[in-house]
Amino acid sequence: MPAVEKANGQLGLVACLSENWVMLYCGRFGFSIKSSVVMSNASAAKVFPRMQPGPRFEVYTLADLEKGTIPHLQILSEEQRLLMRAVAHVLPFRANRYVVEELIDWDRVPDDPLFQLTFPQPGMLAPQDLATMTDLLRRETPAAEIKAAAAGIRARLNPHPAGQLQLNRPRDADGRPIDGLQHKYRETVLFFPSQGQTCHSYCTFCFRWAQFIGDKSLRMASREAAVVHEYLRRHPEVTDLLITGGDPLVMKTRHLADYLEPLLAPEFEHLRTIRIGTKSLSFWPYRYLDGDDADELLRLLEKLVAGGKHVALMAHYNHWRELETPAARRAIARVRETGAVIRAQGPLIAHVNDDPVVWARLWRTQVHLGIVPYYMFVERDTGARHYFEVPLVRCWEIYREAIQRVSGLGRTVRGPSMSATPGKVEVQGVAEIGGEKVFVLRFLQGRNPDWVQRPFFARFDPRATWLDQLKPAFGDDRFFFEDELTAVFQAERRGGAS
Ligand SMILES: *Cc1c(COP(=O)(O)O)cnc(C)c1O
Ligand code: SF4
């Protein structure tokens, strides 16, 4: 239900019940009228502009591609739509009406960056796989056969890069691994609530598709607030809880509150920061604007701030256009009113934002709106990497050219950073040392905190896209952290066996 707003006129409270019904409550005479005749929402919106109800959350999935129910797609040829369906059978597709109607610029499709970000692209599958899938669809193959072929292709893609599943699962007091938690860097625990394992729309490049596809063995999720709280109680070194997904803000506020409100108790004083990783400011800003649940969310953020926590929305942005709609701007303003800070991070993606001009404008707009630019990521080793990946040297050039175009307030952003097995590794630049061309790298976060901020060097390689493709410079046979990392792996394996 849309928001109940205090109207400043004589009418007291006004509630929009649906698209056609409003509730008028007359404070002075103590009666209410529920009527579509007295005032439609459209005219109510003119009288009380702030109470204009937002659109309903309406999601689009593969079934809509199959049935052709997204009218905007009619501008594409039949062949283009077939290719799109072929990809969507293998990799998850989910969009919503806001994304389709307010974010994507259909005059620029298929090159539009937000279309590339949300709709399946033919280049996302290897040519052979794309041919297999389109062929099956053309021949109107039985659904089971299509499903099996798609599963076969998926199995060859890499859903969990950087050793996430094996390495980062914390253990309970009895040494049993805990689902839904990851504790890789000393100060920060990641929590994946089970109700937050989806998003308001899916990013085409996303590596979390294994969660969305619903393969249980690959899901990193927890059902238990108690388990999280118990873990935090036992780990006084943890200062930050980062609640992530999917997108935790697909959850009802009530569920989020079950996880977060108890953290205001004195026993969690060591936990100073609550971060919420989310794309909802971009994919569904009405999450913050419309209805009781939105208002409750803002009250929850306020309460956490008042209780002494630093509350940070770790907002995922890829393109400045995500910041331009009136709904996005209103959502940002409402979050900031709660005292929560919005910090922005996002990956550098071919076809979406591999352009310094785009990043500079993104950071400038963020600063203008009171958002703190935080991380620029290098895209991970994921299923459709050949389509989305950008060589490290190009990532660095884009970062550098972009940062040169913004003032110091935009230069809080670090990157390009790879979240790799040993830690977050930043490409600081390319240099020539003793006649050898090298990448200068450093850890922004390390599995061992002692690795952080130590510069190290890799042989320059113009095609490398990830840390594991780099070789140590100056004839060394391994990077300084590798022996220790191997030892961690071995210890973990032993721990896992016990
Ligand atoms: C990025 C990340 C964090 C948070 O790191 P900060 O540098 O504090 O933002 C925590 N855990 C994991 C596994 C991460 O990848
Ligand atoms: S919002 Fe985040 S988790 Fe969701 S699809 Fe995009 S990148 Fe993946």
Side-chain angles (χ1 to χ4, degrees), residues 142-195:
E145 210 173 305
I146 295 177
K147 248 188 160 150
I153 295 171
R154 261 199 309 273
R156 283 187 271 114
L157 307 174
N158 170 24
H160 272 288
Q164 296 288 19
L165 266 195
Q166 309 87 311
L167 266 188
N168 303 311
R169 263 165 91 197
R171 291 165 189 278
D172 66 15
D174 301 323
R176 280 186 302 258
I178 304 174
D179 281 337
L181 283 190
Q182 237 188 74
H183 191 182
K184 181 169 176 179
Y185 308 129
R186 190 174 51 196
E187 292 80 13
T188 305
V189 165
L190 256 57
F191 170 47
F192 302 78
S194 57
Q195 310 97 316

Short mmCIF file of all heavy atoms in Angstrom, two decimals, residues 142-195:
data_model
loop_
_atom_site.label_atom_id
_atom_site.label_comp_id
_atom_site.label_asym_id
_atom_site.label_seq_id
_atom_site.Cartn_x
_atom_site.Cartn_y
_atom_site.Cartn_z
N PRO A 142 11.07 -29.88 -26.92
CA PRO A 142 10.38 -29.97 -25.63
C PRO A 142 11.18 -29.28 -24.51
O PRO A 142 12.41 -29.31 -24.52
CB PRO A 142 10.31 -31.48 -25.36
CG PRO A 142 10.45 -32.12 -26.70
CD PRO A 142 11.23 -31.19 -27.57
N ALA A 143 10.45 -28.69 -23.59
CA ALA A 143 11.06 -27.87 -22.54
C ALA A 143 12.15 -28.62 -21.78
O ALA A 143 13.20 -28.05 -21.46
CB ALA A 143 9.99 -27.37 -21.58
N ALA A 144 11.91 -29.89 -21.49
CA ALA A 144 12.87 -30.66 -20.69
C ALA A 144 14.23 -30.74 -21.39
O ALA A 144 15.28 -30.66 -20.75
CB ALA A 144 12.33 -32.06 -20.43
N GLU A 145 14.17 -30.87 -22.70
CA GLU A 145 15.42 -31.00 -23.47
C GLU A 145 16.19 -29.67 -23.48
O GLU A 145 17.42 -29.64 -23.35
CB GLU A 145 15.06 -31.40 -24.90
CG GLU A 145 16.12 -32.24 -25.59
CD GLU A 145 15.60 -32.73 -26.93
OE1 GLU A 145 14.51 -33.36 -26.95
OE2 GLU A 145 16.27 -32.45 -27.94
N ILE A 146 15.44 -28.58 -23.61
CA ILE A 146 16.07 -27.25 -23.57
C ILE A 146 16.72 -27.03 -22.20
O ILE A 146 17.85 -26.56 -22.11
CB ILE A 146 15.01 -26.15 -23.83
CG1 ILE A 146 14.48 -26.29 -25.26
CG2 ILE A 146 15.60 -24.77 -23.61
CD1 ILE A 146 13.39 -25.32 -25.62
N LYS A 147 15.99 -27.42 -21.19
CA LYS A 147 16.50 -27.27 -19.82
C LYS A 147 17.80 -28.04 -19.62
O LYS A 147 18.76 -27.52 -19.03
CB LYS A 147 15.47 -27.81 -18.83
CG LYS A 147 14.83 -26.74 -17.98
CD LYS A 147 13.99 -27.37 -16.90
CE LYS A 147 13.75 -26.37 -15.79
NZ LYS A 147 12.48 -26.59 -15.12
N ALA A 148 17.82 -29.26 -20.13
CA ALA A 148 19.01 -30.10 -19.96
C ALA A 148 20.20 -29.48 -20.69
O ALA A 148 21.32 -29.44 -20.16
CB ALA A 148 18.73 -31.50 -20.47
N ALA A 149 19.95 -28.98 -21.90
CA ALA A 149 21.04 -28.37 -22.67
C ALA A 149 21.57 -27.14 -21.93
O ALA A 149 22.79 -26.93 -21.83
CB ALA A 149 20.55 -27.98 -24.06
N ALA A 150 20.65 -26.34 -21.39
CA ALA A 150 21.06 -25.13 -20.66
C ALA A 150 21.87 -25.49 -19.43
O ALA A 150 22.90 -24.88 -19.14
CB ALA A 150 19.82 -24.32 -20.26
N ALA A 151 21.44 -26.53 -18.73
CA ALA A 151 22.15 -26.96 -17.52
C ALA A 151 23.56 -27.41 -17.88
O ALA A 151 24.52 -27.15 -17.14
CB ALA A 151 21.39 -28.06 -16.81
N GLY A 152 23.69 -28.09 -19.02
CA GLY A 152 25.00 -28.55 -19.47
C GLY A 152 25.94 -27.39 -19.72
O GLY A 152 27.11 -27.43 -19.35
N ILE A 153 25.41 -26.36 -20.36
CA ILE A 153 26.25 -25.18 -20.64
C ILE A 153 26.63 -24.49 -19.33
O ILE A 153 27.79 -24.13 -19.11
CB ILE A 153 25.50 -24.19 -21.56
CG1 ILE A 153 25.28 -24.83 -22.94
CG2 ILE A 153 26.28 -22.88 -21.70
CD1 ILE A 153 24.37 -24.05 -23.86
N ARG A 154 25.67 -24.36 -18.45
CA ARG A 154 25.91 -23.69 -17.16
C ARG A 154 27.00 -24.40 -16.35
O ARG A 154 27.81 -23.77 -15.71
CB ARG A 154 24.64 -23.65 -16.32
CG ARG A 154 23.91 -22.32 -16.40
CD ARG A 154 22.97 -22.16 -15.24
NE ARG A 154 22.10 -23.29 -15.06
CZ ARG A 154 20.93 -23.46 -15.67
NH1 ARG A 154 20.49 -22.56 -16.53
NH2 ARG A 154 20.20 -24.52 -15.43
N ALA A 155 26.97 -25.72 -16.42
CA ALA A 155 27.91 -26.50 -15.61
C ALA A 155 29.36 -26.20 -16.00
O ALA A 155 30.27 -26.37 -15.21
CB ALA A 155 27.63 -27.99 -15.77
N ARG A 156 29.55 -25.72 -17.25
CA ARG A 156 30.91 -25.42 -17.69
C ARG A 156 31.35 -24.01 -17.30
O ARG A 156 32.49 -23.63 -17.50
CB ARG A 156 31.01 -25.59 -19.21
CG ARG A 156 31.10 -27.06 -19.62
CD ARG A 156 31.36 -27.21 -21.10
NE ARG A 156 30.12 -27.25 -21.87
CZ ARG A 156 29.73 -26.34 -22.73
NH1 ARG A 156 30.47 -25.27 -22.94
NH2 ARG A 156 28.60 -26.48 -23.39
N LEU A 157 30.42 -23.21 -16.79
CA LEU A 157 30.76 -21.85 -16.37
C LEU A 157 31.16 -21.85 -14.90
O LEU A 157 30.82 -22.75 -14.16
CB LEU A 157 29.58 -20.91 -16.61
CG LEU A 157 29.04 -20.94 -18.05
CD1 LEU A 157 27.79 -20.10 -18.17
CD2 LEU A 157 30.10 -20.49 -19.04
N ASN A 158 31.83 -20.82 -14.49
CA ASN A 158 32.39 -20.81 -13.14
C ASN A 158 31.58 -19.93 -12.20
O ASN A 158 31.70 -18.72 -12.24
CB ASN A 158 33.85 -20.31 -13.21
CG ASN A 158 34.41 -20.05 -11.83
OD1 ASN A 158 33.94 -20.61 -10.85
ND2 ASN A 158 35.41 -19.20 -11.76
N PRO A 159 30.78 -20.53 -11.35
CA PRO A 159 29.90 -19.70 -10.53
C PRO A 159 30.55 -19.15 -9.27
O PRO A 159 30.06 -18.17 -8.71
CB PRO A 159 28.78 -20.65 -10.16
CG PRO A 159 29.41 -22.00 -10.17
CD PRO A 159 30.55 -21.94 -11.14
N HIS A 160 31.59 -19.74 -8.76
CA HIS A 160 32.16 -19.23 -7.51
C HIS A 160 33.64 -18.94 -7.60
O HIS A 160 34.47 -19.75 -7.24
CB HIS A 160 31.87 -20.18 -6.34
CG HIS A 160 30.57 -19.87 -5.71
ND1 HIS A 160 30.38 -18.74 -4.94
CD2 HIS A 160 29.38 -20.50 -5.77
CE1 HIS A 160 29.12 -18.71 -4.55
NE2 HIS A 160 28.49 -19.76 -5.04
N PRO A 161 33.96 -17.77 -8.12
CA PRO A 161 35.35 -17.42 -8.26
C PRO A 161 36.00 -17.17 -6.90
O PRO A 161 35.33 -17.06 -5.89
CB PRO A 161 35.30 -16.13 -9.08
CG PRO A 161 33.95 -15.57 -8.84
CD PRO A 161 33.05 -16.70 -8.51
N ALA A 162 37.28 -17.06 -6.93
CA ALA A 162 38.09 -16.65 -5.77
C ALA A 162 37.92 -17.57 -4.56
O ALA A 162 38.09 -17.16 -3.43
CB ALA A 162 37.76 -15.20 -5.38
N GLY A 163 37.62 -18.83 -4.81
CA GLY A 163 37.58 -19.80 -3.72
C GLY A 163 36.62 -19.43 -2.61
O GLY A 163 36.85 -19.76 -1.45
N GLN A 164 35.54 -18.73 -2.96
CA GLN A 164 34.65 -18.20 -1.92
C GLN A 164 34.07 -19.30 -1.05
O GLN A 164 34.04 -19.18 0.16
CB GLN A 164 33.49 -17.43 -2.55
CG GLN A 164 33.88 -16.19 -3.32
CD GLN A 164 34.33 -15.06 -2.43
OE1 GLN A 164 34.69 -15.27 -1.28
NE2 GLN A 164 34.36 -13.86 -2.95
N LEU A 165 33.60 -20.36 -1.69
CA LEU A 165 32.88 -21.35 -0.90
C LEU A 165 33.80 -22.14 0.02
O LEU A 165 33.50 -22.35 1.18
CB LEU A 165 32.14 -22.32 -1.83
CG LEU A 165 30.70 -21.94 -2.11
CD1 LEU A 165 29.96 -23.12 -2.71
CD2 LEU A 165 29.97 -21.44 -0.86
N GLN A 166 34.94 -22.56 -0.50
CA GLN A 166 35.81 -23.40 0.29
C GLN A 166 36.48 -22.64 1.43
O GLN A 166 36.66 -23.15 2.51
CB GLN A 166 36.91 -24.04 -0.58
CG GLN A 166 36.41 -24.73 -1.84
CD GLN A 166 36.29 -23.76 -3.00
OE1 GLN A 166 35.71 -22.68 -2.89
NE2 GLN A 166 36.83 -24.15 -4.14
N LEU A 167 36.87 -21.39 1.14
CA LEU A 167 37.81 -20.74 2.05
C LEU A 167 37.23 -19.85 3.14
O LEU A 167 37.84 -19.67 4.17
CB LEU A 167 38.79 -19.89 1.24
CG LEU A 167 40.09 -20.59 0.88
CD1 LEU A 167 41.05 -19.58 0.27
CD2 LEU A 167 40.74 -21.23 2.09
N ASN A 168 36.08 -19.30 2.89
CA ASN A 168 35.71 -18.20 3.78
C ASN A 168 34.55 -18.50 4.71
O ASN A 168 33.93 -17.61 5.24
CB ASN A 168 35.38 -16.96 2.95
CG ASN A 168 36.55 -16.60 2.07
OD1 ASN A 168 37.67 -16.51 2.56
ND2 ASN A 168 36.31 -16.45 0.80
N ARG A 169 34.26 -19.78 4.90
CA ARG A 169 33.14 -20.07 5.78
C ARG A 169 33.60 -20.13 7.22
O ARG A 169 34.41 -20.95 7.60
CB ARG A 169 32.50 -21.40 5.39
CG ARG A 169 31.28 -21.18 4.50
CD ARG A 169 30.89 -22.42 3.84
NE ARG A 169 29.92 -23.16 4.63
CZ ARG A 169 29.66 -24.45 4.43
NH1 ARG A 169 30.32 -25.13 3.52
NH2 ARG A 169 28.74 -25.04 5.15
N PRO A 170 33.06 -19.24 8.03
CA PRO A 170 33.43 -19.27 9.44
C PRO A 170 32.84 -20.49 10.13
O PRO A 170 31.92 -21.12 9.59
CB PRO A 170 32.82 -17.99 10.00
CG PRO A 170 32.01 -17.39 8.93
CD PRO A 170 32.05 -18.24 7.73
N ARG A 171 33.35 -20.80 11.30
CA ARG A 171 32.89 -21.98 12.03
C ARG A 171 32.27 -21.57 13.36
O ARG A 171 32.63 -20.55 13.93
CB ARG A 171 34.07 -22.92 12.25
CG ARG A 171 34.52 -23.53 10.94
CD ARG A 171 35.87 -24.18 10.99
NE ARG A 171 36.26 -24.53 9.63
CZ ARG A 171 35.85 -25.62 9.00
NH1 ARG A 171 35.10 -26.51 9.62
NH2 ARG A 171 36.21 -25.85 7.75
N ASP A 172 31.36 -22.39 13.81
CA ASP A 172 30.73 -22.09 15.10
C ASP A 172 31.61 -22.59 16.24
O ASP A 172 32.71 -23.11 16.01
CB ASP A 172 29.30 -22.69 15.16
CG ASP A 172 29.30 -24.21 15.14
OD1 ASP A 172 30.37 -24.83 15.36
OD2 ASP A 172 28.23 -24.79 14.91
N ALA A 173 31.11 -22.44 17.48
CA ALA A 173 31.93 -22.77 18.65
C ALA A 173 32.38 -24.23 18.63
O ALA A 173 33.43 -24.58 19.18
CB ALA A 173 31.15 -22.47 19.93
N ASP A 174 31.61 -25.11 17.96
CA ASP A 174 31.98 -26.52 17.89
C ASP A 174 32.78 -26.86 16.63
O ASP A 174 32.98 -28.04 16.33
CB ASP A 174 30.71 -27.40 17.91
CG ASP A 174 29.91 -27.15 19.18
OD1 ASP A 174 30.53 -26.93 20.24
OD2 ASP A 174 28.66 -27.14 19.09
N GLY A 175 33.17 -25.84 15.89
CA GLY A 175 34.00 -26.08 14.71
C GLY A 175 33.22 -26.45 13.46
O GLY A 175 33.81 -26.80 12.45
N ARG A 176 31.89 -26.37 13.53
CA ARG A 176 31.11 -26.68 12.34
C ARG A 176 31.00 -25.44 11.46
O ARG A 176 30.80 -24.33 11.97
CB ARG A 176 29.69 -27.12 12.74
CG ARG A 176 29.60 -28.57 13.18
CD ARG A 176 28.15 -28.95 13.41
NE ARG A 176 27.53 -28.08 14.40
CZ ARG A 176 27.32 -28.44 15.68
NH1 ARG A 176 27.66 -29.64 16.10
NH2 ARG A 176 26.77 -27.59 16.52
N PRO A 177 31.13 -25.60 10.14
CA PRO A 177 31.02 -24.44 9.25
C PRO A 177 29.63 -23.82 9.34
O PRO A 177 28.64 -24.53 9.48
CB PRO A 177 31.24 -25.02 7.86
CG PRO A 177 31.66 -26.43 8.02
CD PRO A 177 31.31 -26.87 9.41
N ILE A 178 29.58 -22.50 9.28
CA ILE A 178 28.30 -21.79 9.36
C ILE A 178 27.89 -21.34 7.96
O ILE A 178 28.66 -20.68 7.26
CB ILE A 178 28.42 -20.54 10.26
CG1 ILE A 178 28.94 -20.93 11.64
CG2 ILE A 178 27.09 -19.82 10.37
CD1 ILE A 178 29.23 -19.73 12.53
N ASP A 179 26.69 -21.69 7.57
CA ASP A 179 26.16 -21.25 6.28
C ASP A 179 25.84 -19.77 6.31
O ASP A 179 25.43 -19.24 7.34
CB ASP A 179 24.85 -21.99 5.97
CG ASP A 179 25.13 -23.38 5.45
OD1 ASP A 179 26.24 -23.61 4.93
OD2 ASP A 179 24.23 -24.24 5.58
N GLY A 180 26.01 -19.12 5.18
CA GLY A 180 25.51 -17.75 5.07
C GLY A 180 26.41 -16.69 5.65
O GLY A 180 26.07 -15.51 5.63
N LEU A 181 27.57 -17.10 6.17
CA LEU A 181 28.52 -16.11 6.67
C LEU A 181 29.84 -16.28 5.94
O LEU A 181 30.21 -17.38 5.55
CB LEU A 181 28.79 -16.29 8.17
CG LEU A 181 27.77 -15.82 9.20
CD1 LEU A 181 28.40 -15.88 10.58
CD2 LEU A 181 27.28 -14.41 8.90
N GLN A 182 30.56 -15.17 5.79
CA GLN A 182 31.90 -15.20 5.25
C GLN A 182 32.74 -14.25 6.08
O GLN A 182 32.34 -13.12 6.31
CB GLN A 182 31.84 -14.65 3.82
CG GLN A 182 32.36 -15.58 2.76
CD GLN A 182 32.41 -14.83 1.43
OE1 GLN A 182 33.25 -14.00 1.20
NE2 GLN A 182 31.47 -15.15 0.56
N HIS A 183 33.89 -14.74 6.52
CA HIS A 183 34.73 -13.87 7.34
C HIS A 183 36.15 -13.96 6.81
O HIS A 183 36.93 -14.80 7.22
CB HIS A 183 34.68 -14.32 8.81
CG HIS A 183 35.31 -13.32 9.73
ND1 HIS A 183 35.41 -13.53 11.09
CD2 HIS A 183 35.86 -12.11 9.50
CE1 HIS A 183 36.01 -12.47 11.64
NE2 HIS A 183 36.30 -11.62 10.70
N LYS A 184 36.46 -13.09 5.88
CA LYS A 184 37.72 -13.17 5.18
C LYS A 184 38.71 -12.13 5.71
O LYS A 184 39.88 -12.42 5.89
CB LYS A 184 37.46 -12.94 3.69
CG LYS A 184 38.68 -13.00 2.79
CD LYS A 184 38.25 -13.04 1.33
CE LYS A 184 39.44 -13.00 0.40
NZ LYS A 184 39.01 -13.05 -1.02
N TYR A 185 38.23 -10.93 5.94
CA TYR A 185 39.08 -9.86 6.46
C TYR A 185 38.70 -9.62 7.92
O TYR A 185 37.52 -9.59 8.25
CB TYR A 185 38.89 -8.59 5.63
CG TYR A 185 39.07 -8.85 4.15
CD1 TYR A 185 38.14 -8.43 3.22
CD2 TYR A 185 40.18 -9.57 3.71
CE1 TYR A 185 38.29 -8.70 1.88
CE2 TYR A 185 40.34 -9.84 2.36
CZ TYR A 185 39.40 -9.41 1.44
OH TYR A 185 39.55 -9.69 0.11
N ARG A 186 39.71 -9.47 8.75
CA ARG A 186 39.51 -9.49 10.20
C ARG A 186 38.34 -8.64 10.69
O ARG A 186 37.52 -9.09 11.48
CB ARG A 186 40.82 -9.01 10.87
CG ARG A 186 40.85 -9.21 12.36
CD ARG A 186 42.23 -8.85 12.90
NE ARG A 186 42.66 -7.54 12.42
CZ ARG A 186 43.92 -7.11 12.48
NH1 ARG A 186 44.87 -7.87 12.97
NH2 ARG A 186 44.22 -5.91 12.04
N GLU A 187 38.21 -7.43 10.18
CA GLU A 187 37.24 -6.49 10.75
C GLU A 187 35.81 -6.70 10.26
O GLU A 187 34.88 -6.20 10.88
CB GLU A 187 37.63 -5.04 10.40
CG GLU A 187 38.88 -4.52 11.06
CD GLU A 187 40.17 -4.99 10.40
OE1 GLU A 187 40.10 -5.53 9.27
OE2 GLU A 187 41.24 -4.84 11.01
N THR A 188 35.66 -7.41 9.16
CA THR A 188 34.36 -7.38 8.49
C THR A 188 33.79 -8.76 8.24
O THR A 188 34.45 -9.62 7.66
CB THR A 188 34.49 -6.64 7.13
OG1 THR A 188 35.06 -5.36 7.39
CG2 THR A 188 33.14 -6.46 6.47
N VAL A 189 32.57 -8.96 8.70
CA VAL A 189 31.86 -10.21 8.42
C VAL A 189 30.79 -9.96 7.37
O VAL A 189 30.04 -8.98 7.46
CB VAL A 189 31.22 -10.78 9.71
CG1 VAL A 189 30.20 -11.85 9.37
CG2 VAL A 189 32.29 -11.35 10.62
N LEU A 190 30.75 -10.82 6.38
CA LEU A 190 29.71 -10.76 5.36
C LEU A 190 28.59 -11.72 5.73
O LEU A 190 28.85 -12.86 6.10
CB LEU A 190 30.28 -11.24 4.02
CG LEU A 190 30.62 -10.20 2.96
CD1 LEU A 190 31.60 -9.21 3.50
CD2 LEU A 190 31.16 -10.88 1.73
N PHE A 191 27.39 -11.25 5.60
CA PHE A 191 26.25 -12.09 5.92
C PHE A 191 25.29 -12.10 4.73
O PHE A 191 24.93 -11.05 4.21
CB PHE A 191 25.55 -11.57 7.18
CG PHE A 191 24.23 -12.22 7.45
CD1 PHE A 191 24.10 -13.60 7.39
CD2 PHE A 191 23.12 -11.46 7.77
CE1 PHE A 191 22.87 -14.21 7.64
CE2 PHE A 191 21.89 -12.06 8.02
CZ PHE A 191 21.77 -13.43 7.95
N PHE A 192 24.91 -13.30 4.30
CA PHE A 192 23.97 -13.48 3.18
C PHE A 192 22.65 -14.01 3.72
O PHE A 192 22.48 -15.21 3.82
CB PHE A 192 24.51 -14.51 2.18
CG PHE A 192 25.85 -14.18 1.60
CD1 PHE A 192 27.03 -14.38 2.32
CD2 PHE A 192 25.96 -13.68 0.32
CE1 PHE A 192 28.27 -14.10 1.78
CE2 PHE A 192 27.20 -13.38 -0.25
CZ PHE A 192 28.35 -13.59 0.50
N PRO A 193 21.72 -13.14 4.08
CA PRO A 193 20.45 -13.65 4.59
C PRO A 193 19.71 -14.44 3.51
O PRO A 193 19.74 -14.06 2.34
CB PRO A 193 19.67 -12.38 4.96
CG PRO A 193 20.32 -11.28 4.21
CD PRO A 193 21.74 -11.68 3.97
N SER A 194 19.09 -15.53 3.90
CA SER A 194 18.50 -16.40 2.89
C SER A 194 17.35 -15.72 2.14
O SER A 194 17.10 -16.02 0.99
CB SER A 194 18.03 -17.71 3.51
OG SER A 194 17.13 -17.44 4.55
N GLN A 195 16.69 -14.74 2.79
CA GLN A 195 15.59 -14.08 2.07
C GLN A 195 16.10 -12.99 1.13
O GLN A 195 15.30 -12.32 0.48
CB GLN A 195 14.60 -13.42 3.05
CG GLN A 195 14.11 -14.29 4.16
CD GLN A 195 14.92 -14.02 5.44
OE1 GLN A 195 16.14 -13.92 5.39
NE2 GLN A 195 14.23 -13.92 6.56
#
